[in-house]
């Protein structure tokens, strides 16, 4: 006989996503003792703890990690059952957690989410923007339902689908010595000052690969945001690899100059990723259909 309740599962999932019983209780409009009691009863019914306890803090253990996607699926299926039984069966509701790497989150969020948000007004979309490593971690830990990053992920637990093409461009200030040359050679990049993305960024990996093709330069700055790198280049602090979508207007307005580098391969793919254990319910299927999957 199944004896645990949907509320207990909601508490388990909320504690995992929010990071504490107190935060989960607030989200679920419960008192903290009530949330703690629901978790304790769930663990009793399952015959296993879901969290390790250390000085009052909770850390999801392996059993909890194994059961989390199942708990999320049960709750989502129950919501779908309720909706299909009601007169609003064609109306999607719920929370949808989307991750995006910096390029996507800052410059392509409309392309990624626009149709979905406009079509499903009853769905609350929570967008997390971070570097690719952090976004992949969120997908693996089931704190994100789906994400869009640069490049592909080689991980047996992640489904990765190519979304669209993208390109980096080497950019400099218009009065930079390299910007004044009619034709550039690999040797022209010797001792150049580079501004790069931080470690953990997919963009950084591509940059390091292409820098290995060029004479040695100097990495003078590492920044976590594309806009910060763009402004640093405009200020004359160095040259950088920047996403084409982020620099189009700056190039058109004369604040940046694209350096022609046919000897470099700066093409890349943007990919939609999600956990293979993630239940592909109506929310997920609708989102994937709207981004052309």
């Amino acid at each position: 006989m199944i004896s645990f309740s949907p509320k207990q599962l909601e508490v388990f999932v909320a504690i995992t996503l929010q990071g504490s019983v107190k935060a989960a209780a607030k989200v679920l409009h419960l008192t903290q003792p009530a949330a703690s009691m629901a978790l304790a009863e769930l663990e009793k019914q399952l015959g296993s703890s879901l969290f390790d306890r250390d000085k009052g803090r909770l850390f999801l253990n392996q059993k909890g990690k194994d059961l989390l996607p199942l708990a999320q699926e049960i709750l989502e299926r129950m919501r779908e059952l309720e909706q299909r039984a009601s007169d609003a069966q064609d109306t999607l509701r719920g929370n949808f957690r989307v991750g995006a790497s910096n390029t996507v989150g800052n410059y392509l969020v409309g392309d990624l989410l626009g149709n979905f948000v406009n079509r499903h007004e009853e769905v609350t979309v929570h967008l997390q923007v971070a570097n690719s490593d952090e976004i992949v971690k969120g997908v693996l830990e089931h704190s994100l339902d789906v994400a869009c990053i640069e490049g592909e992920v080689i991980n047996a637990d992640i489904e990765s689908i190519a979304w669209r093409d993208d390109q980096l461009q080497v950019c400099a200030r218009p009065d930079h010595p390299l910007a004044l040359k009619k034709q550039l050679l690999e040797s022209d990049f010797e001792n150049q000052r580079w501004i790069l993305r931080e470690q953990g960024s997919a963009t950084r990996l591509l940059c390091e690969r292409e820098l290995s093709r060029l004479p040695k330069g100097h990495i003078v700055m590492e920044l976590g945001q594309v806009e910060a790198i763009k402004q640093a280049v405009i200020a004359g602090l160095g040259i950088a690899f920047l996403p084409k979508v982020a620099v189009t207007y700056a190039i058109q307005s004369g604040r940046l100059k694209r350096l022609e580098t046919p000897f470099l391969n700066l093409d890349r793919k943007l990919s939609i990723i999600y956990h293979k254990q993630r239940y592909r319910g109506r929310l997920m299927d609708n989102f994937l259909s709207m981004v052309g999957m």
Side-chain angles (χ1 to χ4, degrees):
M1 175 70 71
I2 298 176
S3 52
F4 54 82
S5 68
K7 180 58 68 178
Q8 291 167 351
L9 293 180
E10 284 184 330
V11 168
F12 165 47
V13 172
I15 292 173
T16 303
L17 298 182
Q18 301 299 322
S20 69
V21 175
K22 181 179 180 180
K26 183 177 181 180
V27 168
L28 296 175
H29 306 291
L30 298 172
T31 64
Q32 189 169 337
S36 296
M37 187 179 300
L39 175 61
E41 185 61 27
L42 176 62
E43 290 181 320
K44 178 181 177 181
Q45 297 293 339
L46 294 174
S48 176
S49 64
L50 302 172
F51 296 90
D52 293 329
R53 275 78 170 170
D54 182 26
K55 298 179 181 178
R57 299 183 64 188
L58 298 180
F59 301 91
L60 196 65
N61 61 25
Q62 189 57 52
K63 178 64 70 174
K65 291 177 181 178
D66 292 340
L67 296 182
L68 177 61
L70 294 176
Q72 291 173 316
E73 178 178 343
I74 290 170
L75 292 172
E76 188 164 344
R77 284 183 179 274
M78 292 185 70
R79 284 191 289 269
E80 290 182 1
L81 176 64
E82 182 180 20
Q83 289 177 11
R84 288 177 185 273
S86 71
D87 293 333
Q89 59 178 320
D90 294 329
T91 301
L92 293 183
R93 294 188 177 87
N95 293 287
F96 196 55
R97 299 155 302 166
V98 181
S101 57
N102 277 282
T103 297
V104 178
N106 290 318
Y107 302 101
L108 295 171
V109 67
D111 293 347
L112 181 67
L113 296 175
N115 288 339
F116 183 79
V117 170
N118 290 331
R119 185 75 62 84
H120 304 297
E121 297 181 354
E122 298 295 319
V123 176
T124 301
V125 175
H126 305 269
L127 178 66
Q128 177 184 337
V129 180
N131 70 35
S132 295
D133 277 3
E134 293 179 58
I135 295 301
V136 171
K137 181 181 178 183
V139 171
L140 287 171
E141 294 179 348
H142 299 281
S143 61
L144 294 171
D145 297 313
V146 69
C148 186
I149 63 170
E150 298 102 11
E152 297 181 359
V153 179
I154 302 175
N155 188 298
D157 292 325
I158 287 185
E159 188 73 41
S160 179
I161 309 169
W163 179 43
R164 60 168 61 183
D165 295 329
D166 188 40
Q167 184 185 72
L168 294 180
Q169 297 181 340
V170 181
C171 294
R173 210 163 86 155
D175 59 357
H176 190 281
L178 293 185
L180 301 177
K181 285 181 172 287
K182 290 186 177 180
Q183 185 173 356
L184 292 172
L185 303 174
E186 290 98 321
S187 57
D188 293 323
F189 287 86
E190 186 172 4
N191 294 322
Q192 288 299 321
R193 294 163 56 88
W194 290 93
I195 305 168
L196 300 183
R197 282 286 305 276
E198 81 286 9
Q199 296 288 344
S201 161
T203 299
R204 175 61 179 260
L205 291 176
L206 191 154
C207 293
E208 289 179 343
R209 184 194 73 194
E210 295 308 307
L211 282 176
S212 69
R213 304 172 185 260
L214 300 175
K216 188 174 182 180
H218 307 286
I219 300 175
V220 296
M221 297 181 74
E222 294 184 352
L223 300 172
Q225 294 291 331
V226 173
E227 275 300 308
I229 295 175
K230 185 167 71 174
Q231 294 305 320
V233 174
I234 290 173
L237 302 182
I239 62 177
F241 298 92
L242 287 164
K244 180 179 179 181
V245 69
V247 298
T248 301
Y249 179 73
I251 291 174
Q252 291 175 347
S253 63
R255 293 184 298 156
L256 283 178
K257 175 74 178 294
R258 175 191 176 187
L259 304 182
E260 297 295 336
T261 55
F263 39 82
L264 298 178
N265 179 11
L266 300 179
D267 294 329
R268 61 181 182 174
K269 296 284 187 181
L270 302 180
S271 299
I272 301 291
I273 63 172
Y274 57 90
H275 201 293
K276 288 182 177 178
Q277 293 182 9
R278 171 66 168 83
Y279 169 56
R280 280 189 57 167
R282 297 175 69 206
L283 279 175
M284 176 71 87
D285 279 342
N286 272 266
F287 172 78
L288 292 178
S289 68
M290 288 188 180
V291 293
M293 298 294 103

